[in-house]
Amino acid sequence: SPGAPPAQPPDMTGAADTSAAYLLNVRDIPSARGSTVVTQGVRGQEDPIGGRNSNRTWWQIDLGGGATGWVSAYYVTARDTQSVPVTFQS
């Protein structure tokens, strides 16, 4: 088949986040500047966390269907994150 295979999402560690904001922007990269909002989460929504940036200010979440996005750690409560790997160098 033409083209390269799609990138595989990181393994999810079982960690979850709960949005503290009413509507939470989920971005394509872990930055408020220069990023694109790919979707929005709602308060109380939980998503598996599969990665983080190196200074733990952003979490990479599983959006389903192999898609991932980034949420600011400031706006979520994350749990069980001890083994979440760094998937983006800040």
Side-chain angles (χ1 to χ4, degrees):
S1 64
Q8 293 297 314
D11 290 335
M12 298 297 129
T13 63
D17 71 355
T18 303
S19 171
Y22 182 69
L23 285 177
L24 179 67
N25 288 332
V26 180
R27 298 177 180 275
D28 61 341
I29 60 173
S31 175
R33 290 189 177 156
S35 63
T36 301
V37 175
V38 294
T39 190
Q40 288 186 318
V42 295
R43 185 187 309 256
Q45 178 177 330
E46 292 192 2
D47 300 291
I49 295 174
R52 64 178 175 89
N53 65 342
S54 55
N55 62 5
R56 290 185 175 263
T57 56
W58 291 82
W59 298 108
Q60 186 178 31
I61 61 171
D62 179 8
L63 300 174
T68 62
W70 292 88
V71 293
S72 171
Y74 182 81
Y75 296 106
V76 299
T77 301
R79 62 180 192 272
D80 302 325
T81 59
Q82 302 86 339
S83 62
V84 173
V86 174
T87 55
F88 189 94
Q89 290 295 326
S90 302

